[in-house]
């Protein structure tokens, strides 16, 4: 059956809230609005800056139905997509790179690898496809990350200084140790020669990759922490090898 926007309109926020109440209450206004002595209050950032955004407005579209039409095109042109009522990573890559208003808004070329990582973060089934509610939440996440990135990209170069990363992560609400921050800097920064000096910078696509993994890994560990410790958050839990591989290899 072809995907039809009218069948899904109006259900997104309700489905999102139900999912997070059941699996990740830090996003659902529970557990002191997501505050945690161990993990910080990053859930607040998503409640206040992500879940209330409208992607189609940022992309200068006429309405949500226009964005849904683009999504429907990629769902309905492939039989596997139609059966799953969703898109795959190459479809997401095409949407971000070939939709003029989206391409102009971010002004980068999205890689298939990064699109696969973003899909895995929100693949709740998990079935390897991105359905409409997941697609809409991803658009909101990317917008929020881009807004935060622009706050620190003061010269509008498309990069932020590596020393600003600690401020950005803190603004998101994560509680990160200095050693972990050093690891993040080494993994996601690039060295550039500027006016005869070497500067360590972070590009937006690397920034998105960092944001996706930081959220996904924190959510996965936090959920297991609560399950292992009677609903309490201790900052530690027992991981089986298979469980660990499933968690990290999907991203």
């Amino acid at each position: 059956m072809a995907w039809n926007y009218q069948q899904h309109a109006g259900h997104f926020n309700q489905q999102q809230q139900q999912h997070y109440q059941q699996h990740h209450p830090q996003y659902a206004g529970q557990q002191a609005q997501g505050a945690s002595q161990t993990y910080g209050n990053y859930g607040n950032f998503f409640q206040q800056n992500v879940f209330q955004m409208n992607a189609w407005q940022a992309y200068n579209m006429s309405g949500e139905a226009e964005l849904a039409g683009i999504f429907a095109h990629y769902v309905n042109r492939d039989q596997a997509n139609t059966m799953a009522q969703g898109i795959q990573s190459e479809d997401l890559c095409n949407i971000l790179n070939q939709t003029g208003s989206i391409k102009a808004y971010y002004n980068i070329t999205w890689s298939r690898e990064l699109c696969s990582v973003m899909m895995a973060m929100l693949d709740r089934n998990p079935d390897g496809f991105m359905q409409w509610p997941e697609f809409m939440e991803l658009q909101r996440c990317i917008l929020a990350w881009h807004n935060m990135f622009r706050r620190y990209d003061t010269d509008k170069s498309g990069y932020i200084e590596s020393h600003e990363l600690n401020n950005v992560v803190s603004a998101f609400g994560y509680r990160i140790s200095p050693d972990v921050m050093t690891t993040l800097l080494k993994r996601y920064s690039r060295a550039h020669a500027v006016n005869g000096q070497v500067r360590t910078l972070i590009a937006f696509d690397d920034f998105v990759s960092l944001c996706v993994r930081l959220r996904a890994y924190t959510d996965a560990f936090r959920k297991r922490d609560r399950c292992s410790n009677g609903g309490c958050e201790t900052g530690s839990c027992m991981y089986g090898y298979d469980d660990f591989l499933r968690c990290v290899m999907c991203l």
Side-chain angles (χ1 to χ4, degrees):
M1 180 177 66
W3 188 88
N4 187 303
Y5 171 63
Q6 298 303 322
Q7 296 174 346
H8 299 269
H11 301 299
F12 167 61
N13 290 327
Q14 182 180 1
Q15 292 175 355
Q16 179 189 62
Q17 187 72 6
Q18 289 174 345
H19 170 78
Y20 285 128
Q21 285 176 345
Q22 182 177 357
H23 299 285
H24 299 288
Q26 62 267 23
Y27 298 120
Q30 301 173 26
Q31 292 191 347
Q33 286 72 51
S36 167
Q37 292 298 314
T38 302
Y39 303 105
N41 63 345
Y42 66 95
N44 280 0
F45 174 82
F46 285 89
Q47 291 175 44
Q48 298 170 9
N49 300 283
V50 177
F51 298 153
Q52 308 304 318
M53 302 183 77
N54 288 318
W56 61 268
Q57 290 180 324
Y59 301 152
N60 290 319
M61 294 181 175
S62 59
E64 185 177 276
E66 182 177 347
L67 184 57
I70 298 169
F71 179 83
H73 169 74
Y74 286 93
V75 174
N76 296 330
R77 75 173 188 171
D78 181 274
Q79 185 176 4
N81 288 5
T82 303
M83 293 173 64
Q85 295 286 281
I87 60 173
Q88 301 179 58
S89 56
E90 58 266 32
D91 303 312
L92 177 61
C93 191
N94 288 334
I95 289 173
L96 295 175
N97 287 325
Q98 296 180 15
T99 304
S101 57
I102 298 178
K103 176 71 173 179
Y105 189 84
Y106 296 113
N107 196 31
I108 67 169
T109 299
W110 299 85
S111 70
R112 186 180 183 279
E113 172 64 21
L114 179 53
C115 289
S116 296
V117 169
M118 292 191 295
M119 282 188 60
M121 177 186 73
L122 292 172
D123 189 8
R124 295 167 186 152
N125 294 13
D127 61 356
F129 293 84
M130 173 168 276
Q131 282 78 29
W132 174 248
E134 299 163 344
F135 176 78
M136 284 297 290
E137 182 173 346
L138 177 62
Q139 298 308 310
R140 293 174 171 183
C141 286
I142 298 174
L143 281 172
W145 292 330
H146 189 251
N147 289 340
M148 181 67 77
F149 187 87
R150 289 191 302 180
R151 281 175 51 185
Y152 292 90
D153 180 17
T154 54
D155 61 357
K156 310 303 179 186
S157 64
Y159 296 91
I160 60 174
E161 299 282 350
S162 59
H163 67 265
E164 294 280 20
L165 185 59
N166 185 62
N167 295 330
V168 176
V169 172
S170 297
F172 282 140
Y174 292 101
R175 195 179 295 271
I176 300 296
S177 72
D179 288 343
V180 171
M181 188 59 61
T182 298
T183 299
L184 295 179
L185 284 170
K186 290 179 179 178
R187 170 64 178 83
Y188 293 102
S189 61
R190 312 176 187 184
H192 289 260
V194 181
N195 297 326
Q197 295 183 329
V198 176
R199 295 170 60 191
T200 306
L201 305 172
I202 300 172
F204 179 61
D205 55 345
D206 290 327
F207 180 75
V208 170
S209 183
L210 182 157
C211 290
V212 169
R213 290 186 168 97
L214 188 56
R215 169 179 164 168
Y217 290 148
T218 302
D219 283 350
F221 191 93
R222 190 173 184 177
K223 182 178 179 180
R224 288 162 175 79
D225 185 3
R226 289 196 297 265
C227 290
S228 300
N229 295 287
C232 298
E233 295 183 344
T234 66
S236 63
C237 68
M238 293 294 294
Y239 252 104
Y241 181 53
D242 284 351
D243 191 24
F244 171 77
L245 287 181
R246 285 198 304 269
C247 178
V248 300
M249 295 301 290
C250 71
L251 295 177

